Structure formats: C-alpha cells, structure tokens
Amino acid sequence: MQTMESIFTNLKNTFRAGNILAKLIYINVGLFILIRLMGVIFLLFNIPGISFLQYLQMPSSPELLLYRPWTVITYMFTHFDFLHILFNMLWLYWFGGLFLSFFSERQLGGLYLLGGIAGAVLFMLAYNIFPYFQTVASSSYLMGASASVMAIVFAVSFYRKDLEINLFLIGRVKLIYLALFTFVIDLLAITSDNAGGHIAHIGGALFGIWFAMRIKEGKDLTAPMNRLLDWVVNLGKRKPKMKVTYKRAETDYEYNARWYDPEPTACEAPNLWKRIGEDRWVLMYDVYGQKVHNFGFSETSDFVHFTPLGQFNQGVMRTTNFTSPKHGAIIHLTRQEAERLAE
C-alpha cells in the first residue's frame, strides 16, 4: 500500500514529466480540490466559505481590482462547481491536444493566459459601460477557465478552417462551424444569469481569432507573454559568478541560437526547400525525441518568423506510401516533371 508521502511524490513527478497541457489541467483540478476542502473546513466551523473565493475571482469593479490585481490570473484557474470544471477540462484536453498538433507548448501556455486576460478585460469593460449591468457591477465576479479554453478553440479553428471532427449523433463537421455556433450562443446569452461568463468567452474567442490571423503572418502574439514568464521564473535564480568570454571564428555566417521549430522534444536532420513560384520556404525536420516518430514542418518567407505546419498526418502534410519517416530528403519537381515521371 502506498503511503501518503509516496502518493504526493508520484503526483509531483507526474506533474513535472507532463507537458504544458497536463500541467494546466493539474493546476485547475488541484486548486478545485483545495477550494472544496477549504469550503468543508470552513463550514464545520460555521465560517462562510464563499467569501474567500472573492480573493481568487476577478471582480468587475475597477476599484476593487486595484486591491486584488492577482485575480486577473487566479480567476482563470478557479472553479467551485464540479460540472463547471469537468466541461472546462474536457474542452481543454480535447482542443489543447489539437492545438499542440500545430503549435508549441509555450504557445499553448501563453495563449491560455492571454485568452483569459482578454476575457477578463472584456468582462470588466462590459460591466462598467453598459447600463444593463449597473446594478450588479459592484458585486459581480468572474471565475473559470472558459475564456482561456475559448481562445484555444478559436485559435485552432481559424488557423485550420478545413479541420473536421466527429460529433455524436451528428457525424463529421468542420471545427470552425462548432466554434461559430458556440460564439453565437454566447452572444445571445450576454444578458442571462451568467452574463459575465459568456462575455468572457467572447473575449477569449476574439483573442484566439487574432492569434490565428497574426500567426499566419509570422507574428506570434504569445511571445511577449512567454518572455515575461521566463523573466519571472529566472528572477529568483542566482547568476553564475564565472565570466565566460570567447572569440567567434572569422566567418561569413552569424550564429543564431533561436529555436525555430515548435517541437517540445529533440529534432535533427533539417531540410529546407523553396515552394515553386512562391517566395516561401518550408523547413522539414526529424522529430526523433517523441515516442511516436514523425516529421515536423514550418514555413517562412523571411527566415526570421516561422509558421508551424504540423507533423505528418496531423497538419497539411500527408504521407502516401510510407509509415516511418527517417532523415527525409526533398526532390524538387514541377507538376509537369512529376506527370512525366508517372508515365
């Protein structure tokens, strides 16, 4: 039988070994369990337990937010009702996994936070601009991961508008149609009892669409957020006292340490080719560090900004007569040359 200490050790190791999607789900579920346990303890001592949630939820009052600025972040990890967190985590798991087929873990984490912030901003603006919310603006709060999840759903939907999914009793339907359907439902429900939640969904969705539009232009909206997170993480780390100097060898090339492929695991054997008749190049690389071996692809027009195209059979690239690619090479053929070879 496992001891309590070994259980916590296993959970900690699983958290560390998991990708960013697993970590986000762990944080949401862990905080949910902690909140419910605290609610039980407070109830046993006849202490009103709901009040402490207000220090995790984001208020619609700008004055109150000045005293609780952290709630802009904590609200998107906070849930109290079981069905609320269940459906949010299911959507996060399904669409977060789909998102990772085209983008990196860093982009998923950055979009989760920025989509949540966008939902919070629209929530606060709506409650303080529209007279309809005037009577409840000073006492309304926002919580849940829905805005962050909507940002991920709409980012994938508008980045790959041709993607289809299977829906129970309906069959195959394009993902973008499902996204637009949820958007219309939220739009029609902004005067309901859960008006704040639906408004936040719209804010997250709009940011997801913006992310998809900009990433197609080679601009990553999550990059500044990820740089900020890197700075925060490294803030408490001690800098090495040893000073290292080196002299670069005389060469016509400048070394660039940026990571251009979106894969979270090790890659090798890069290949680059130009699309015929276009000023665009495709970078192909062997993703040997993941358990299911595959190839990854990114596209660029300036060799500075790269747009992920996904892996074989997960994005726009499809395999034909092979199943285990390894150290691939490209032969540049026009359509006419390919047809002549086929003859």
Side-chain angles (χ1 to χ4, degrees):
M1 179 179 291
Q2 285 187 316
T3 64
M4 188 61 69
E5 182 180 356
S6 63
I7 292 175
F8 280 115
T9 300
N10 289 336
L11 287 173
K12 182 172 65 175
N13 292 336
T14 305
F15 178 83
R16 288 177 176 175
N19 61 13
I20 186 63
L21 179 58
K23 287 181 171 68
L24 289 172
I25 294 175
Y26 261 97
I27 294 171
N28 276 277
V29 174
L31 186 57
F32 168 75
I33 294 173
L34 180 62
I35 288 171
R36 294 310 297 256
L37 285 175
M38 290 179 65
V40 171
I41 295 172
F42 285 177
L43 187 60
L44 290 174
F45 288 94
N46 290 326
I47 302 173
I50 300 298
S51 60
F52 80 89
L53 273 178
Q54 296 177 0
Y55 292 92
L56 297 174
Q57 300 167 314
M58 197 197 110
S60 59
S61 167
E63 294 82 5
L64 191 54
L65 182 62
L66 289 175
Y67 293 96
R68 303 172 189 175
W70 61 86
T71 57
V72 174
I73 301 298
T74 57
Y75 98 87
M76 67 184 76
F77 296 97
T78 304
H79 301 80
F80 190 78
D81 294 323
F82 175 73
L83 290 179
H84 189 196
I85 189 172
L86 175 64
F87 286 107
N88 273 349
M89 293 304 100
L90 285 175
W91 276 60
L92 178 59
Y93 176 76
W94 291 328
F95 293 103
L98 191 59
F99 182 93
L100 290 176
S101 299
F102 306 104
F103 304 103
S104 68
E105 291 190 38
R106 286 171 61 83
Q107 288 170 316
L108 177 63
L111 184 59
Y112 183 96
L113 293 173
L114 290 171
I117 293 172
V121 169
L122 190 61
F123 162 73
M124 175 169 286
L125 288 175
Y127 268 64
N128 289 276
I129 291 176
F130 297 114
Y132 178 81
F133 301 110
Q134 186 174 1
T135 57
V136 294
S138 61
S139 58
S140 295
Y141 295 85
L142 183 66
M143 69 172 174
S146 303
S148 300
V149 174
M150 285 298 105
I152 295 168
V153 172
F154 277 78
V156 176
S157 302
F158 277 77
Y159 179 72
R160 286 295 310 276
K161 297 179 182 179
D162 60 324
L163 277 181
E164 295 183 347
I165 59 173
N166 279 314
L167 292 181
F168 181 64
L169 298 179
I170 297 178
R172 295 189 67 80
V173 61
K174 285 190 175 181
L175 180 58
I176 192 170
Y177 295 156
L178 176 63
L180 292 174
F181 177 76
T182 61
F183 189 90
V184 172
I185 294 298
D186 284 321
L187 197 60
L188 296 176
I190 59 175
T191 55
S192 66
D193 292 338
N194 186 29
H198 292 290
I199 292 171
H201 294 178
I202 294 172
L206 292 176
F207 190 88
I209 295 171
W210 189 26
F211 169 84
M213 293 172 59
R214 295 296 287 164
I215 204 73
K216 288 182 178 180
E217 298 171 357
K219 305 294 184 181
D220 183 5
L221 295 179
T222 67
M225 172 60 76
N226 284 318
R227 285 196 294 268
L228 175 62
L229 291 175
D230 290 339
W231 178 80
V232 172
V233 169
N234 294 321
L235 196 59
K237 293 183 179 180
R238 297 180 60 185
K239 295 182 179 179
K241 295 181 179 180
M242 182 173 58
K243 183 179 181 181
V244 179
T245 59
Y246 64 92
K247 182 179 180 181
R248 183 174 59 84
E250 293 299 324
T251 174
D252 293 333
Y253 298 95
E254 290 287 344
Y255 174 69
N256 190 333
R258 288 183 60 189
W259 194 336
Y260 285 102
D261 68 75
E263 310 298 335
T265 57
C267 302
E268 64 179 1
N271 238 293
L272 188 73
W273 76 89
K274 187 178 185 294
R275 291 192 183 276
I276 297 176
E278 301 180 44
D279 289 328
R280 291 189 298 166
W281 287 260
V282 177
L283 173 67
M284 180 179 72
Y285 43 86
D286 187 345
V287 191
Y288 73 90
Q290 67 182 27
K291 291 182 180 179
V292 180
H293 191 269
N294 208 335
F295 270 22
F297 301 87
S298 293
E299 190 176 64
T300 183
S301 59
D302 57 8
F303 295 95
V304 176
H305 305 97
F306 286 75
T307 301
L309 300 178
Q311 298 182 5
F312 267 136
N313 300 324
Q314 298 176 3
V316 296
M317 300 298 184
R318 294 286 184 266
T319 57
T320 52
N321 58 349
F322 57 90
T323 57
S324 300
K326 182 72 175 177
H327 289 192
I330 298 299
I331 299 177
H332 220 188
L333 296 176
T334 63
R335 181 181 293 276
Q336 292 78 9
E337 290 170 334
E339 291 173 350
R340 286 173 59 187
L341 287 174
E343 295 173 357

